[in-house]
mmCIF file of all heavy atoms in Angstrom:
data_model
loop_
_atom_site.group_PDB
_atom_site.id
_atom_site.type_symbol
_atom_site.label_atom_id
_atom_site.label_comp_id
_atom_site.label_asym_id
_atom_site.label_seq_id
_atom_site.Cartn_x
_atom_site.Cartn_y
_atom_site.Cartn_z
ATOM 1 N N ALA Y 1036 134.860 72.216 122.242
ATOM 2 C CA ALA Y 1036 134.945 73.562 122.808
ATOM 3 C C ALA Y 1036 135.285 74.585 121.729
ATOM 4 O O ALA Y 1036 134.757 75.704 121.737
ATOM 5 C CB ALA Y 1036 135.980 73.601 123.930
ATOM 6 N N ALA Y 1037 136.184 74.217 120.796
ATOM 7 C CA ALA Y 1037 136.535 75.133 119.701
ATOM 8 C C ALA Y 1037 135.313 75.412 118.837
ATOM 9 O O ALA Y 1037 135.077 76.550 118.410
ATOM 10 C CB ALA Y 1037 137.659 74.536 118.861
ATOM 11 N N VAL Y 1038 134.511 74.370 118.576
ATOM 12 C CA VAL Y 1038 133.278 74.549 117.803
ATOM 13 C C VAL Y 1038 132.311 75.447 118.570
ATOM 14 O O VAL Y 1038 131.665 76.330 117.996
ATOM 15 C CB VAL Y 1038 132.634 73.184 117.493
ATOM 16 C CG1 VAL Y 1038 131.263 73.374 116.860
ATOM 17 C CG2 VAL Y 1038 133.529 72.379 116.569
ATOM 18 N N ALA Y 1039 132.196 75.234 119.895
ATOM 19 C CA ALA Y 1039 131.283 76.029 120.710
ATOM 20 C C ALA Y 1039 131.683 77.502 120.709
ATOM 21 O O ALA Y 1039 130.830 78.392 120.647
ATOM 22 C CB ALA Y 1039 131.255 75.492 122.139
ATOM 23 N N VAL Y 1040 133.002 77.772 120.775
ATOM 24 C CA VAL Y 1040 133.475 79.164 120.743
ATOM 25 C C VAL Y 1040 133.085 79.827 119.427
ATOM 26 O O VAL Y 1040 132.651 80.986 119.399
ATOM 27 C CB VAL Y 1040 135.007 79.215 120.947
ATOM 28 C CG1 VAL Y 1040 135.540 80.600 120.629
ATOM 29 C CG2 VAL Y 1040 135.365 78.839 122.367
ATOM 30 N N ALA Y 1041 133.225 79.104 118.323
ATOM 31 C CA ALA Y 1041 132.847 79.660 117.020
ATOM 32 C C ALA Y 1041 131.349 79.931 116.966
ATOM 33 O O ALA Y 1041 130.906 80.963 116.435
ATOM 34 C CB ALA Y 1041 133.256 78.701 115.908
ATOM 35 N N ILE Y 1042 130.538 79.018 117.516
ATOM 36 C CA ILE Y 1042 129.079 79.208 117.509
ATOM 37 C C ILE Y 1042 128.693 80.415 118.355
ATOM 38 O O ILE Y 1042 127.867 81.248 117.946
ATOM 39 C CB ILE Y 1042 128.382 77.932 118.022
ATOM 40 C CG1 ILE Y 1042 128.561 76.791 117.019
ATOM 41 C CG2 ILE Y 1042 126.898 78.193 118.263
ATOM 42 C CD1 ILE Y 1042 128.019 75.461 117.489
ATOM 43 N N MET Y 1043 129.294 80.532 119.546
ATOM 44 C CA MET Y 1043 128.966 81.666 120.423
ATOM 45 C C MET Y 1043 129.436 82.988 119.822
ATOM 46 O O MET Y 1043 128.748 84.002 119.925
ATOM 47 C CB MET Y 1043 129.600 81.447 121.796
ATOM 48 C CG MET Y 1043 128.958 80.317 122.598
ATOM 49 S SD MET Y 1043 129.574 80.197 124.307
ATOM 50 C CE MET Y 1043 131.273 79.675 124.006
ATOM 51 N N SER Y 1044 130.609 82.976 119.195
ATOM 52 C CA SER Y 1044 131.097 84.207 118.553
ATOM 53 C C SER Y 1044 130.190 84.630 117.422
ATOM 54 O O SER Y 1044 129.905 85.821 117.238
ATOM 55 C CB SER Y 1044 132.522 83.993 118.033
ATOM 56 O OG SER Y 1044 133.400 83.670 119.082
ATOM 57 N N GLY Y 1045 129.711 83.655 116.646
ATOM 58 C CA GLY Y 1045 128.798 83.978 115.559
ATOM 59 C C GLY Y 1045 127.446 84.453 116.063
ATOM 60 O O GLY Y 1045 126.822 85.337 115.456
ATOM 61 N N ALA Y 1046 126.977 83.877 117.188
ATOM 62 C CA ALA Y 1046 125.676 84.278 117.737
ATOM 63 C C ALA Y 1046 125.680 85.751 118.113
ATOM 64 O O ALA Y 1046 124.661 86.446 117.965
ATOM 65 C CB ALA Y 1046 125.341 83.419 118.951
ATOM 66 N N GLU Y 1047 126.819 86.238 118.609
ATOM 67 C CA GLU Y 1047 126.902 87.653 118.984
ATOM 68 C C GLU Y 1047 126.788 88.559 117.765
ATOM 69 O O GLU Y 1047 126.464 89.742 117.900
ATOM 70 C CB GLU Y 1047 128.223 87.922 119.707
ATOM 71 C CG GLU Y 1047 128.334 87.224 121.053
ATOM 72 C CD GLU Y 1047 129.672 87.477 121.730
ATOM 73 O OE1 GLU Y 1047 130.534 88.113 121.077
ATOM 74 O OE2 GLU Y 1047 129.846 87.062 122.884
ATOM 75 N N LEU Y 1048 127.060 88.013 116.582
ATOM 76 C CA LEU Y 1048 126.973 88.802 115.349
ATOM 77 C C LEU Y 1048 125.713 88.488 114.560
ATOM 78 O O LEU Y 1048 125.551 88.948 113.429
ATOM 79 C CB LEU Y 1048 128.205 88.530 114.473
ATOM 80 C CG LEU Y 1048 129.557 88.850 115.114
ATOM 81 C CD1 LEU Y 1048 130.684 88.487 114.158
ATOM 82 C CD2 LEU Y 1048 129.648 90.314 115.508
ATOM 83 N N GLY Y 1049 124.829 87.657 115.155
ATOM 84 C CA GLY Y 1049 123.571 87.342 114.484
ATOM 85 C C GLY Y 1049 123.637 86.178 113.520
ATOM 86 O O GLY Y 1049 122.746 86.014 112.692
ATOM 87 N N LEU Y 1050 124.682 85.342 113.615
ATOM 88 C CA LEU Y 1050 124.829 84.203 112.707
ATOM 89 C C LEU Y 1050 124.286 82.942 113.355
ATOM 90 O O LEU Y 1050 124.457 82.706 114.554
ATOM 91 C CB LEU Y 1050 126.306 83.987 112.345
ATOM 92 C CG LEU Y 1050 127.013 85.120 111.605
ATOM 93 C CD1 LEU Y 1050 128.479 84.761 111.389
ATOM 94 C CD2 LEU Y 1050 126.332 85.413 110.286
ATOM 95 N N LYS Y 1051 123.629 82.099 112.554
ATOM 96 C CA LYS Y 1051 123.141 80.814 113.039
ATOM 97 C C LYS Y 1051 124.325 79.871 113.240
ATOM 98 O O LYS Y 1051 125.396 80.065 112.658
ATOM 99 C CB LYS Y 1051 122.134 80.232 112.063
ATOM 100 C CG LYS Y 1051 120.879 81.096 111.896
ATOM 101 C CD LYS Y 1051 119.941 80.498 110.877
ATOM 102 C CE LYS Y 1051 118.657 81.324 110.783
ATOM 103 N NZ LYS Y 1051 118.907 82.678 110.251
ATOM 104 N N PRO Y 1052 124.155 78.812 114.060
ATOM 105 C CA PRO Y 1052 125.293 77.946 114.423
ATOM 106 C C PRO Y 1052 126.078 77.401 113.239
ATOM 107 O O PRO Y 1052 127.304 77.514 113.191
ATOM 108 C CB PRO Y 1052 124.630 76.822 115.227
ATOM 109 C CG PRO Y 1052 123.442 77.462 115.849
ATOM 110 C CD PRO Y 1052 122.934 78.437 114.821
ATOM 111 N N MET Y 1053 125.416 76.798 112.266
ATOM 112 C CA MET Y 1053 126.140 76.185 111.161
ATOM 113 C C MET Y 1053 126.750 77.236 110.237
ATOM 114 O O MET Y 1053 127.794 77.004 109.625
ATOM 115 C CB MET Y 1053 125.232 75.243 110.370
ATOM 116 C CG MET Y 1053 124.655 74.103 111.200
ATOM 117 S SD MET Y 1053 125.900 73.216 112.177
ATOM 118 C CE MET Y 1053 126.813 72.398 110.876
ATOM 119 N N VAL Y 1054 126.094 78.396 110.146
ATOM 120 C CA VAL Y 1054 126.689 79.494 109.370
ATOM 121 C C VAL Y 1054 127.954 79.976 110.063
ATOM 122 O O VAL Y 1054 128.950 80.310 109.419
ATOM 123 C CB VAL Y 1054 125.688 80.648 109.196
ATOM 124 C CG1 VAL Y 1054 126.340 81.826 108.464
ATOM 125 C CG2 VAL Y 1054 124.464 80.183 108.437
ATOM 126 N N SER Y 1055 127.946 80.006 111.397
ATOM 127 C CA SER Y 1055 129.130 80.416 112.148
ATOM 128 C C SER Y 1055 130.304 79.492 111.866
ATOM 129 O O SER Y 1055 131.444 79.934 111.717
ATOM 130 C CB SER Y 1055 128.825 80.408 113.656
ATOM 131 O OG SER Y 1055 127.840 81.353 113.970
ATOM 132 N N LEU Y 1056 130.031 78.176 111.778
ATOM 133 C CA LEU Y 1056 131.115 77.222 111.520
ATOM 134 C C LEU Y 1056 131.712 77.419 110.137
ATOM 135 O O LEU Y 1056 132.884 77.152 109.914
ATOM 136 C CB LEU Y 1056 130.597 75.789 111.654
ATOM 137 C CG LEU Y 1056 130.157 75.376 113.057
ATOM 138 C CD1 LEU Y 1056 129.751 73.916 113.069
ATOM 139 C CD2 LEU Y 1056 131.257 75.623 114.070
ATOM 140 N N ARG Y 1057 130.895 77.887 109.203
ATOM 141 C CA ARG Y 1057 131.413 78.139 107.846
ATOM 142 C C ARG Y 1057 132.097 79.493 107.735
ATOM 143 O O ARG Y 1057 132.831 79.744 106.784
ATOM 144 C CB ARG Y 1057 130.274 78.047 106.828
ATOM 145 C CG ARG Y 1057 129.683 76.665 106.681
ATOM 146 C CD ARG Y 1057 128.765 76.596 105.470
ATOM 147 N NE ARG Y 1057 127.587 77.426 105.626
ATOM 148 C CZ ARG Y 1057 126.428 77.008 106.135
ATOM 149 N NH1 ARG Y 1057 126.325 75.754 106.575
ATOM 150 N NH2 ARG Y 1057 125.395 77.807 106.231
ATOM 151 N N SER Y 1058 131.849 80.376 108.703
ATOM 152 C CA SER Y 1058 132.374 81.746 108.618
ATOM 153 C C SER Y 1058 133.517 82.012 109.573
ATOM 154 O O SER Y 1058 134.310 82.926 109.347
ATOM 155 C CB SER Y 1058 131.249 82.759 108.904
ATOM 156 O OG SER Y 1058 130.163 82.590 108.012
ATOM 157 N N PHE Y 1059 133.609 81.225 110.664
ATOM 158 C CA PHE Y 1059 134.581 81.500 111.713
ATOM 159 C C PHE Y 1059 135.717 80.495 111.711
ATOM 160 O O PHE Y 1059 135.576 79.351 111.300
ATOM 161 C CB PHE Y 1059 133.912 81.439 113.095
ATOM 162 C CG PHE Y 1059 133.463 82.776 113.607
ATOM 163 C CD1 PHE Y 1059 132.165 83.186 113.399
ATOM 164 C CD2 PHE Y 1059 134.324 83.625 114.277
ATOM 165 C CE1 PHE Y 1059 131.731 84.423 113.870
ATOM 166 C CE2 PHE Y 1059 133.911 84.851 114.743
ATOM 167 C CZ PHE Y 1059 132.612 85.251 114.537
ATOM 168 N N THR Y 1060 136.849 80.954 112.189
ATOM 169 C CA THR Y 1060 137.960 80.095 112.549
ATOM 170 C C THR Y 1060 138.517 80.622 113.862
ATOM 171 O O THR Y 1060 138.231 81.755 114.256
ATOM 172 C CB THR Y 1060 139.054 80.072 111.471
ATOM 173 O OG1 THR Y 1060 140.073 79.136 111.840
ATOM 174 C CG2 THR Y 1060 139.681 81.441 111.286
ATOM 175 N N VAL Y 1061 139.270 79.809 114.578
ATOM 176 C CA VAL Y 1061 139.870 80.224 115.841
ATOM 177 C C VAL Y 1061 141.380 80.076 115.714
ATOM 178 O O VAL Y 1061 141.882 78.995 115.412
ATOM 179 C CB VAL Y 1061 139.342 79.383 117.022
ATOM 180 C CG1 VAL Y 1061 140.054 79.786 118.308
ATOM 181 C CG2 VAL Y 1061 137.840 79.566 117.170
ATOM 182 N N ILE Y 1062 142.106 81.175 115.925
ATOM 183 C CA ILE Y 1062 143.560 81.193 115.785
ATOM 184 C C ILE Y 1062 144.156 81.650 117.099
ATOM 185 O O ILE Y 1062 143.896 82.764 117.555
ATOM 186 C CB ILE Y 1062 143.990 82.133 114.639
ATOM 187 C CG1 ILE Y 1062 143.336 81.699 113.331
ATOM 188 C CG2 ILE Y 1062 145.499 82.150 114.496
ATOM 189 C CD1 ILE Y 1062 143.487 82.691 112.213
ATOM 190 N N ASN Y 1063 144.937 80.761 117.728
ATOM 191 C CA ASN Y 1063 145.529 81.072 119.034
ATOM 192 C C ASN Y 1063 144.479 81.541 120.042
ATOM 193 O O ASN Y 1063 144.701 82.478 120.816
ATOM 194 C CB ASN Y 1063 146.620 82.141 118.888
ATOM 195 C CG ASN Y 1063 147.963 81.523 118.568
ATOM 196 O OD1 ASN Y 1063 148.048 80.354 118.199
ATOM 197 N ND2 ASN Y 1063 149.012 82.300 118.679
ATOM 198 N N GLY Y 1064 143.309 80.886 119.997
ATOM 199 C CA GLY Y 1064 142.246 81.234 120.934
ATOM 200 C C GLY Y 1064 141.471 82.477 120.565
ATOM 201 O O GLY Y 1064 140.577 82.889 121.305
ATOM 202 N N LYS Y 1065 141.784 83.087 119.422
ATOM 203 C CA LYS Y 1065 141.086 84.301 119.005
ATOM 204 C C LYS Y 1065 140.158 83.975 117.836
ATOM 205 O O LYS Y 1065 140.613 83.515 116.791
ATOM 206 C CB LYS Y 1065 142.086 85.383 118.583
ATOM 207 C CG LYS Y 1065 143.036 85.818 119.685
ATOM 208 C CD LYS Y 1065 143.980 86.900 119.164
ATOM 209 C CE LYS Y 1065 144.937 87.362 120.259
ATOM 210 N NZ LYS Y 1065 145.895 86.313 120.637
ATOM 211 N N PRO Y 1066 138.850 84.193 117.973
ATOM 212 C CA PRO Y 1066 137.938 83.955 116.849
ATOM 213 C C PRO Y 1066 138.156 84.987 115.752
ATOM 214 O O PRO Y 1066 138.399 86.163 116.017
ATOM 215 C CB PRO Y 1066 136.549 84.094 117.484
ATOM 216 C CG PRO Y 1066 136.759 84.957 118.682
ATOM 217 C CD PRO Y 1066 138.149 84.665 119.183
ATOM 218 N N ALA Y 1067 138.082 84.541 114.518
ATOM 219 C CA ALA Y 1067 138.268 85.442 113.372
ATOM 220 C C ALA Y 1067 137.334 85.010 112.258
ATOM 221 O O ALA Y 1067 136.990 83.827 112.132
ATOM 222 C CB ALA Y 1067 139.721 85.415 112.891
ATOM 223 N N LEU Y 1068 136.909 85.960 111.460
ATOM 224 C CA LEU Y 1068 136.017 85.685 110.335
ATOM 225 C C LEU Y 1068 136.809 85.550 109.047
ATOM 226 O O LEU Y 1068 137.802 86.251 108.840
ATOM 227 C CB LEU Y 1068 135.007 86.824 110.166
ATOM 228 C CG LEU Y 1068 133.818 86.864 111.127
ATOM 229 C CD1 LEU Y 1068 133.103 88.196 111.002
ATOM 230 C CD2 LEU Y 1068 132.852 85.723 110.843
ATOM 231 N N TYR Y 1069 136.375 84.632 108.189
ATOM 232 C CA TYR Y 1069 136.917 84.602 106.843
ATOM 233 C C TYR Y 1069 136.511 85.890 106.132
ATOM 234 O O TYR Y 1069 135.575 86.584 106.548
ATOM 235 C CB TYR Y 1069 136.390 83.394 106.074
ATOM 236 C CG TYR Y 1069 136.873 82.072 106.614
ATOM 237 C CD1 TYR Y 1069 135.995 81.169 107.200
ATOM 238 C CD2 TYR Y 1069 138.219 81.723 106.540
ATOM 239 C CE1 TYR Y 1069 136.442 79.959 107.701
ATOM 240 C CE2 TYR Y 1069 138.676 80.516 107.039
ATOM 241 C CZ TYR Y 1069 137.783 79.640 107.617
ATOM 242 O OH TYR Y 1069 138.234 78.446 108.116
ATOM 243 N N GLY Y 1070 137.216 86.199 105.043
ATOM 244 C CA GLY Y 1070 136.946 87.453 104.343
ATOM 245 C C GLY Y 1070 135.500 87.593 103.911
ATOM 246 O O GLY Y 1070 134.866 88.639 104.095
ATOM 247 N N ASP Y 1071 134.924 86.528 103.331
ATOM 248 C CA ASP Y 1071 133.531 86.604 102.909
ATOM 249 C C ASP Y 1071 132.594 86.595 104.103
ATOM 250 O O ASP Y 1071 131.485 87.129 104.048
ATOM 251 C CB ASP Y 1071 133.198 85.463 101.954
ATOM 252 C CG ASP Y 1071 133.608 84.108 102.495
ATOM 253 O OD1 ASP Y 1071 134.233 84.056 103.566
ATOM 254 O OD2 ASP Y 1071 133.318 83.086 101.842
ATOM 255 N N GLY Y 1072 133.019 85.982 105.230
ATOM 256 C CA GLY Y 1072 132.198 86.007 106.437
ATOM 257 C C GLY Y 1072 132.066 87.407 106.999
ATOM 258 O O GLY Y 1072 131.003 87.809 107.496
#
């Protein structure tokens, strides 16, 4: 589910699934992007 949330959050920003996993993290249920993401 945590992976799915990251994929869906990235999709809203135009990121492909695996790119989302490299760019997103989830902290206390809140998705956040790494600085380079």
Side-chain angles (χ1 to χ4, degrees):
V1038 172
V1040 168
I1042 292 175
M1043 290 187 292
S1044 300
E1047 294 178 354
L1048 301 178
L1050 298 177
K1051 297 178 177 66
M1053 300 311 291
V1054 176
S1055 296
L1056 294 184
R1057 294 191 294 268
S1058 303
F1059 265 95
T1060 184
V1061 176
I1062 302 169
N1063 273 14
K1065 299 180 180 68
L1068 282 168
Y1069 293 113
D1071 51 355

